[in-house]
Amino acid sequence: MGIVICRQDTKIELWKKALKAAAPDIEVYSCLEDHPKEKIKMALVWKHSPGSLKAYPNLRCIASSGAGVDFIFSDVEAPVHLPITRVVDPMLASDMSEHVTAVIFAYLKNLNQYKLDQQQQIWNPIGYARIKDFTVGILGLGTLGALLAKNLVHFGFQVQGWSQSRKSLPSVTAYTGETALHAFLSTTNVLVCLLPLTPNTEGILNKELFDQLPKGSFVINVARGGHLVDEALLQALQSDHLSGAALDVFHEEPLAKEHPFWSHPKVHISPHCASVSDASSVAPQIIENYRNLLNRKALQNLVSMDRGY
Ligand code: NDP
């Protein structure tokens, strides 16, 4: 019996080492090596090769090694009738909070503009904003959104969030469901997307949504590229309805060389690095779930099949 690690990047050995360190007694295989497929009970996956999970006749659980699971559902051959788990990790949440906070402060203090000015040796001090001037609105008040909200409140920002079910977080104005979306958007100046990518949220960052934000708002997408309608963002920037955007995730990754985002002065790009699962931090929860699976105990961090996240 054992775990197979299925991913297409160069991190398989790193994850294998972390799992072996957490549980030397458990067999852990790389999908790239010869391994006994019938022995595999759990697949630890991250953007695995589509269709590859069919090879495991006795698979009992698919574990995402990140917070998102959209790539599992988009593999039409994945056995999604099996339990699917995801990562809920304090380090993943604090890394995301630090990234988004850095982006917000860079925006407030015009640091992106000064970087552009520097390239042309332009000395042009411009007025800066203060924390009190902005309301940050977070789409998604789950594990990542809730910690970000808490930390931004600590800095003194006005913070509001939008989620599917009702939330109660200290000093955070909470909006729930479709009917509250307009009220949420119309009072947001910096919009952060931290939603899971599901059929309900795909393309949510579109013209209709941007139109409901106050003029001059700034958009941060750190969730998934599929949330954003690229053309709608470009148009909202072109018309100056939005003042800028910071994007960490894209429809196609790496972002295609010819994509207009690369050279857009109001678009700030990071290469899907806002928050990266740390193998050592995450390995213990994978091992605990693996043992639970074998002992027929309840799994942690189960994805709801109905909600798709
Ligand atoms: P959670 O599942 O904990 O939270 C998701 C939140 O979105 C919940 O508050 C949920 O509402 C809300 N939500 C989902 N669907 C809807 C909807 N249709 N309408 C309103 N609210 C909705 O996820 P995490 O916080 O752990 O992660 C969020 C996403 O961040 C991940 O799915 C992933 O895509 C992205 N991510 C990006 C990373 C990066 O490096 N760029 C790194 C890690 C994650 P409710 O609470 O009511 O269920």
Side-chain angles (χ1 to χ4, degrees):
M1 276 181 291
I3 302 175
V4 64
I5 303 172
C6 301
R7 47 196 300 150
Q8 299 183 74
D9 61 10
T10 55
K11 293 187 177 169
I12 291 184
E13 286 311 313
L14 188 129
W15 278 88
K16 199 170 167 183
K17 217 167 138 188
L19 292 183
K20 288 304 276 181
D25 57 308
I26 293 176
E27 295 296 338
V28 181
Y29 303 97
S30 155
C31 66
L32 302 177
E33 66 188 344
D34 263 348
H35 57 287
K37 302 221 170 30
E38 69 292 344
K39 278 179 136 189
I40 300 301
K41 298 287 178 198
M42 174 187 271
L44 178 62
V45 297
W46 184 251
K47 297 185 182 171
H48 59 282
S49 172
S52 59
L53 299 180
K54 277 189 315 188
Y56 302 102
N58 298 315
L59 193 65
R60 282 175 39 200
C61 171
I62 306 174
S64 168
S65 49
V69 291
D70 43 287
F71 66 96
I72 299 174
F73 288 110
S74 67
D75 173 2
V76 290
E77 296 184 279
V80 292
H81 58 281
L82 295 175
I84 298 175
T85 62
R86 70 185 197 98
V87 166
V88 175
D89 177 52
M91 195 183 282
L92 197 67
S94 60
D95 285 356
M96 179 59 81
S97 172
E98 287 174 20
H99 176 94
V100 176
T101 305
V103 169
I104 293 174
F105 276 114
Y107 169 62
L108 246 62
K109 303 301 171 192
N110 305 310
L111 301 188
N112 299 318
Q113 184 57 48
Y114 293 136
K115 189 71 203 165
L116 292 176
D117 289 353
Q118 182 183 344
Q119 284 157 13
Q120 296 180 65
Q121 298 175 307
I122 293 173
W123 182 276
N124 181 30
I126 41 181
Y128 50 80
R130 299 188 174 87
I131 287 173
K132 67 174 180 53
D133 298 332
F134 284 102
T135 296
V136 181
I138 307 170
L139 291 167
L141 278 180
T143 310
L144 305 185
L147 183 71
L148 173 65
K150 181 180 160 197
N151 291 344
L152 291 175
V153 164
H154 180 73
F155 273 114
F157 285 96
Q158 299 292 323
V159 182
Q160 51 193 28
W162 183 69
S163 55
Q164 192 131 266
S165 59
R166 189 162 296 282
K167 302 284 176 216
S168 173
L169 300 169
S171 304
V172 176
T173 310
Y175 293 83
T176 312
E178 282 292 325
T179 50
L181 186 58
H182 176 71
F184 164 82
L185 293 170
S186 63
T187 47
T188 287
N189 309 110
V190 175
L191 182 75
V192 183
C193 181
L194 269 172
L195 291 165
L197 185 62
T198 68
N200 287 334
T201 65
E202 189 169 1
I204 190 169
L205 301 176
N206 57 27
K207 178 178 176 353
E208 193 192 341
L209 179 141
F210 294 147
D211 284 349
Q212 295 174 72
L213 290 167
K215 187 171 166 57
S217 296
F218 189 82
V219 170
I220 302 172
N221 186 19
V222 278
R224 286 291 178 265
H227 288 120
L228 177 66
V229 178
D230 294 2
E231 192 51 39
L233 176 65
L234 289 168
Q235 280 171 12
L237 293 170
Q238 171 70 28
S239 67
D240 282 336
H241 180 63
L242 294 180
S243 58
L247 308 175
D248 185 59
V249 287
F250 304 91
H251 285 270
E252 185 189 343
E253 295 179 0
L255 185 62
K257 293 265 185 252
E258 61 280 6
H259 199 291
F261 286 162
W262 279 116
S263 55
H264 200 296
K266 294 180 186 169
V267 176
H268 312 291
I269 288 174
S270 52
H272 198 152
C273 60
S275 176
V276 179
S277 288
D278 180 276
S280 314
S281 181
V282 168
Q285 66 181 260
I286 303 295
I287 294 299
E288 190 177 338
N289 258 353
Y290 181 71
R291 296 199 197 283
N292 287 347
L293 186 73
L294 297 192
N295 295 324
R296 301 198 178 274
K297 287 192 187 159
L299 301 182
Q300 306 175 70
N301 307 326
L302 264 181
V303 169
S304 152
M305 290 299 142
D306 296 340
R307 296 181 315 178
Y309 66 95

